[in-house]
Amino acid sequence: MAPSFWGREARLSDGGGGTPVVVKMENPNWSISEMEQEAVPGSPAGLAAGKAGRGKNARQITWVLLLKAHRAAGRLTGAASAALAVAAAARRRVAAGRTDGDAAPGESTALRARFYGCLRLFVVLSMLLLAVEVAAYLQGWHLQMPEMPEMPGQLAMDGLLAVDGLAASAYAGWMRVRLQYIAPPLQFLTNSCVVLFMIQSVDRLVLCLGCLWIKLRGIKPVPIAADKDDVEAGDEDFPMVLVQMPMCNEREVYQQSIGAICALDWPRSNFLVQVLDDSDDATTSALIKEEVEKWQREGVRIVYRHRVIRDGYKAGNLKSAMNCSYVKDYEYVVIFDADFQPQADFLKRAMPHFKGKDDVGLVQARWSFVNNDENLLTRLQNINLCFHFEVEQQVNGAFLNFFGFNGTAGVWRIKALEDSGGWMERTTVEDMDIAVRAHLKGWKFLYLNDVECQCELPESYEAYRKQQHRWHSGPMQLFRLCFVDIIKSKIGFWKKCNLIFLFFLLRKLILPFYSFTLFCVILPMTMFVPEAELPAWVVCYIPATMSIMSILPSPKSFPFIVPYLLFENTMSVTKFNAMISGLFQLGSAYEWVVTKKSGRSSEGDLVALVEKHTVQQQQRVGSAPDLAGLAAKDSSLPKKDAPKKKQKHNRIYRKELALSFLLLTAAARSVLSAQGIHFYFLLFQGVSFLVMGLDLIGEQVE
């Protein structure tokens, strides 16, 4: 109910009588109920009651409007508070002084500096052009030239020249230069990118149709003679399997992953686990070695290998392990990265697909993610990777028997590795390298969409950014190195075309090129050069359709379709930069940064593993921590003796911020020419770049 003084004020204003008014505060619509006095229509009492009622209605409407204004003011205050919070976070980022220009020791910054310099120059020019256009708009000059059959734009120029003053003449000259020299090449570049965009959209549509066909027809790899009696006959019927686990400073996840691998349901005499440690931290290496020794005492055949000199990164680590003398006793090798946790039946579901198929060199399993709902960044990554595994890998595996090896959760026939030349250290995508070389040798690949292996997604923007740089620079390195080998290979003509035009050019080069050029360069430029047009269907409708198709494999992510579209365009700057560095063999193309893991699922996975395999007592031996005891010990320590947590930080990403200012400036310019859909796209995309540039997405990193 409303406070009592409201009713008193209403009674005093009416002399103590009249119609009582009740304002229901509980109703968000501020509804009013009025009890009218009975009066005979046309009588003096009825006329008086009508006049009083009209007066009361006016006062009621006034109160309602005031209450709604108060409510709107509250909402505006909340929005202002949120904006101030974002501004405060941005101020803290700036005050911290950490930017992506703070390179690590030995890291090349030449390309980064040149690229950022070009963007900075572009931003300055756009702001100058915006100032010119605003001045022209205030003077009433034409912001766009009308199309004329004989001389397009001449009428607007004549109108400007008729105005006295040097400024009008200068603006007319700028319009002439813009029309004759800038608009034609910009329009040509625009049309070229639109064509590439349409080709890539058709490719994505074909992939989606292929996935739909697979679903309708129930197409999937079926093992030959996968009879349960044959599989469980005896240890001699299980092939010898070598399990490799390369890692480097993986302190957060090593324990759960080693435990999951050692729990694989396979005869212990028929598989050997190699823990390949490249850690340069002595404490981490000691913990990993202690964990291996613990499982050795449990009877698991597991060995620990540590390289002092980390040559060749992961490829060098795997190559060194394959040179061991005992490898000749094994027929297959399984690779799991440090954060992967295979199910116990992984080998029993994957290995039968090799039986009776001597031309199959690789069986790849699908990834699933333990932290896909952790934050907005992991949700958007999940959309991308679900499409990759559900559509790209499945369609290529079903119709082409070829796809890019994902580097982990896959089983290789050792003969196929040796026939393809083994692991090479020439690129940062050793998995794609060995897959291409094996394909050129005629080996077939199988993809198992129903066999999943859990892993972890990067939760910070910095870690994800570095991962994407490596994933997009490496393929361009590889394309330079293997182009001649593809041409000279003995595979069929259409397989060569698939490798060159689809696998490399369209999906690894053209996609990041047009995504960055079209939406981050051409679109804002067309706002300042309106003679070059970018149709609305290119800006809105086709990207929205492509986003819907990309999100179909993960239907629960449909509420994030707009953030996903903006996120993909925002990441195009990182992917384009990586693509250029890999294509031209620049210094940053050879950078390898291990993706930071959080190990959020470590405790839960260990508990599940303990319950399943009944090794509670053994889990307290060796390096496995007594979680309850450690927690009690930490709580008993004085505050001054308690271990201090590592401070986390965020970085400012200058390229993203520069593009944010560019897009927001172009959005302001689009308001002058009343280009609605372009304005909204530029505005939201500029805000997206601003959020990424200030590192306001994902978790902080240590």
Side-chain angles (χ1 to χ4, degrees), residues 55-245:
K56 280 299 176 184
N57 287 336
R59 284 193 295 274
Q60 293 164 15
I61 293 174
T62 302
W63 279 111
V64 171
L65 293 177
L66 288 174
L67 292 173
K68 288 190 174 182
H70 177 73
R71 186 183 181 190
R75 290 180 175 178
L76 290 176
T77 303
S81 300
L84 289 176
V86 173
R91 182 181 58 80
R92 290 194 298 270
R93 302 286 193 272
V94 176
R98 296 176 180 268
T99 68
D100 58 339
D102 300 333
E107 183 180 352
S108 173
T109 58
L111 174 68
R112 179 180 299 162
R114 288 194 296 268
F115 190 48
Y116 174 66
C118 293
L119 288 177
R120 185 167 51 186
L121 177 62
F122 198 18
V123 170
V124 172
L125 290 176
S126 66
M127 295 186 69
L128 291 176
L129 289 175
L130 177 61
V132 171
E133 298 294 345
V134 170
Y137 181 80
L138 295 177
Q139 292 294 328
W141 301 338
H142 294 285
L143 292 172
Q144 286 186 338
M145 297 184 181
E147 293 286 340
M148 300 292 292
E150 299 291 336
M151 300 176 64
Q154 188 63 39
L155 181 60
M157 293 181 190
D158 293 341
L160 285 175
L161 293 175
V163 180
D164 294 333
L166 181 62
S169 301
Y171 188 71
W174 158 243
M175 293 181 69
R176 184 180 291 107
V177 171
R178 194 173 71 188
L179 176 67
Q180 296 179 358
Y181 300 104
I182 300 179
L186 180 59
Q187 188 65 59
F188 175 78
L189 181 61
T190 301
N191 296 336
S192 302
C193 288
V194 169
V195 171
L196 296 177
F197 183 26
M198 295 306 300
I199 294 175
Q200 196 273 334
S201 300
V202 171
D203 174 62
R204 179 149 296 201
L205 177 61
V206 171
L207 287 174
C208 290
L209 293 176
C211 183
L212 178 62
W213 180 258
I214 290 174
K215 296 293 184 183
L216 294 176
R217 304 290 295 182
I219 301 174
K220 65 177 183 178
V222 179
I224 298 177
D227 188 26
K228 184 176 181 180
D229 296 335
D230 294 339
V231 173
E232 297 181 352
D235 290 356
E236 65 276 3
D237 295 319
F238 292 86
M240 300 293 290
V241 177
L242 179 66
V243 182
Q244 294 180 335
M245 186 180 178

Side-chain angles (χ1 to χ4, degrees), residues 407-426:
T408 178
V411 186
W412 276 95
R413 192 189 297 269
I414 294 181
K415 182 180 178 181
L417 289 177
E418 296 174 347
D419 184 46
S420 306
W423 298 104
M424 293 187 179
E425 307 160 8
R426 56 182 184 172

Side-chain angles (χ1 to χ4, degrees), residues 111 469 473 576-589:
L111 174 68
H469 186 279
S473 64
F576 177 81
N577 189 18
M579 182 267 292
I580 293 297
S581 64
L583 187 63
F584 296 102
Q585 298 291 298
L586 302 176
S588 60

Side-chain angles (χ1 to χ4, degrees), residues 353-371:
H353 291 275
F354 286 101
K355 189 173 183 180
K357 303 175 183 177
D358 295 335
D359 56 348
V360 173
L362 168 68
V363 171
Q364 172 73 59
R366 177 177 179 160
W367 298 0
S368 60
F369 310 104
V370 297
N371 61 338

Side-chain angles (χ1 to χ4, degrees), residues 635-651:
S635 62
S636 64
L637 288 175
K639 291 185 178 180
K640 63 179 182 179
D641 297 332
K644 295 182 178 179
K645 292 184 178 180
K646 292 184 178 180
Q647 291 185 351
K648 296 183 178 182
H649 69 271
N650 294 71
R651 288 191 174 187

